[in-house]
Amino acid sequence: MVNLNAGCTIGQVAQLIKMAHEQDSNASTLAYDSSQGEYANVAAWWHAHRDGRVYGAKFPKFSYSNSPTGTKTRDNANLKIELSTNTTAGRDDYCSLNAFRTLEVNATIDDDGKPHVKAISGLDNRFKRDGSNGDVWIMHAPLYYKVEDTGTHLEFLISDTKYDGYTDFTGQLLTDGTRRPAILHAKYMGGLDSKSLPVSISGVKPARAFGCQNDLIDYAAKKGKGYAGRCTGDDFYVQMMLLIKWATKNSDVLGGCWGYTGQCAVTVAETGKTRVIVKTSDANGFLIGSTVNVGTDKERNNTGSSSAAEARTILSKTTIDASNTALNLDGAAFNTTTSCFVSTMPWKTGACDKVQGTDGRPQSGSATQQPFILQGIEMGNGAYEIMHDIIVQATKDADGNTGHELIWRVGDTFKASKNSTANYTKIGAYPDVPKANDNQWKYFTDVEIHGGMFIPSGASGTSTTGMCDGVYSNPISSQGLRQLLRLGLLWDWSLCGLWAAILWGGLASRRWGVCSRLSALGRTKL
């Protein structure tokens, strides 16, 4: 039989699956129905490969210990994971276990929210990452979870089998209560195609236009009723995978482009080139593979920041003389003057396509300057990701001394609103905000699950204790409906991560560093 505990690269996963089919006569094989143009039995295939194992991770409550580190338990006790890079495949005891196995697929989502898998990487030649065969998703098995509270610790448990007391992962159930045949998450942040439809494909800049809660409603509806922007189910999956696989609440172990603020002047004007010349000392601060704008305005929110070149990938560097270095960029030729500046921008999608594993980042160093993948899902490109199914309501007490951030969730994003919580359910709240802490960043301490969402609590943590990520809110100085921004921006450093919550913007607020991604989990039972 296949050694399910062996480390493997992404490319080896499909081969392991094929081998498992050949060696287990009772297993269903993935069958492509050419008349329907899709794999017709993904639900049966995932069901046939259930192993019933229970994987746990136990974490101390902040009052007992402020450490973000947990202990792996049950069938998780001896499993190991290491960071992979473009050149190195780290050890991965998880990638071929059914509860953690992922496949890259091209798929569509019908109006009811049901996925239709059209191609699978490594199993057929139809799969494409560039959009020529549609959106790219990460597919995994239906999963179930349970949380056990000992008083001093929380133990998070997951399995591919629904035992008594276990709950479906968030987003797993369609609005009628039936289970999705397989669970899909957009592999990439959302770009826009030539028809201004949101896409999950490799090689495009994250789209600012798909970057406010109101825009998510409009753009997703243009693509189809079954599509949404980033949803709670997408958050829940990667957060749970971090807890179980890495036994930590601190997503900094993976990376994230939270500290990549580089901006410098052009030192030599050129005409009709695909490069930009800067001081060598400045060039050293730019990573090959990252994305930059070139323009006359240093404010990234202004169009002048890209007046010469927009969202260009740094392909290489060339020494010009003792003081100057050229950043060689992709795309068409352009002109520069010494009035231009080079500014880091969010990495284009596909930055992690060469990572030799399911968890990792392109380079082992420069952790705060790069995106990362977790379960093959690329995140942390240097822009926030807006949630589609969540509205946060900022209120304050009559005396003005305490503010509140109430969390409202809509199960079916086709009923999401631009100005009301009428179709939403209140599922919890972020920590109360004393007047002295208004308009400030604070770090979360603990986390619990309410309404299908990991909701952090407490505000006395640090960048290395508790949840290790921050919340920013201002309910005392400003009340109303707010967007929930996830992950982080180019310059917010350790405040960013999978637990971060930024609550400053109204539902129509837009900025260059606020984007999102497609979701297949918008039409779901709350």
Side-chain angles (χ1 to χ4, degrees), residues 390-397 402-409 421 426-434 437-440 444 453 455-457 471-485 501-507:
I390 297 292
I391 289 176
V392 177
Q393 181 183 13
T395 69
K396 67 175 180 178
D397 291 345
T402 305
H404 310 278
E405 300 283 4
L406 309 179
I407 303 171
W408 297 82
R409 181 181 165 211
T421 59
K426 187 171 73 173
I427 61 173
Y430 284 106
D432 286 349
V433 180
N437 292 342
D438 199 46
N439 283 297
Q440 292 183 12
F444 294 123
M453 178 179 174
I455 299 180
S457 60
V471 57
Y472 177 88
S473 61
N474 57 348
I476 294 177
S477 60
S478 178
Q479 299 81 49
L481 302 183
R482 299 287 178 260
Q483 303 179 112
L484 171 56
L485 283 67
I502 296 83
L503 309 173
W504 53 259
L507 302 186

Side-chain angles (χ1 to χ4, degrees), residues 446-473:
D446 291 296
V447 69
E448 295 181 350
I449 300 172
H450 299 284
M453 178 179 174
F454 279 104
I455 299 180
S457 60
S460 58
T462 69
S463 62
T464 57
T465 64
M467 304 307 298
C468 303
D469 290 341
V471 57
Y472 177 88
S473 61

Side-chain angles (χ1 to χ4, degrees), residues 164-200:
D164 288 345
Y166 280 68
T167 302
D168 281 79
F169 264 40
T170 306
Q172 199 153 275
L173 300 180
L174 293 162
T175 54
D176 63 2
T178 59
R179 189 166 292 115
R180 285 181 167 89
I183 316 305
L184 303 183
H185 304 279
K187 180 173 176 65
Y188 304 112
M189 289 186 69
L192 292 181
D193 67 10
S194 60
K195 298 179 181 178
S196 291
L197 294 178
V199 291
S200 172

Side-chain angles (χ1 to χ4, degrees), residues 100 145 181 185 267 280 314 318-319 354 357 418 428 442 466-467 494:
F100 303 94
Y145 76 93
H185 304 279
T267 54
T280 296
I314 300 174
T318 301
T319 299
K354 295 181 180 179
K418 296 182 179 181
K442 303 295 287 185
M467 304 307 298
S494 61

Side-chain angles (χ1 to χ4, degrees), residues 303-318:
T303 56
S305 72
S306 58
S307 57
E310 181 180 13
R312 298 297 184 92
T313 300
I314 300 174
L315 302 176
S316 61
K317 301 178 185 180
T318 301

Side-chain angles (χ1 to χ4, degrees), residues 367-422:
T368 59
Q369 297 178 325
Q370 303 174 71
F372 63 88
I373 53 172
L374 174 58
Q375 289 295 93
I377 300 168
E378 185 178 276
M379 295 172 285
N381 293 58
Y384 294 118
E385 295 194 28
I386 286 283
M387 300 295 292
H388 189 156
D389 62 342
I390 297 292
I391 289 176
V392 177
Q393 181 183 13
T395 69
K396 67 175 180 178
D397 291 345
D399 61 11
N401 290 322
T402 305
H404 310 278
E405 300 283 4
L406 309 179
I407 303 171
W408 297 82
R409 181 181 165 211
V410 64
D412 185 351
T413 51
F414 194 65
K415 299 178 181 179
S417 174
K418 296 182 179 181
N419 53 29
S420 170
T421 59

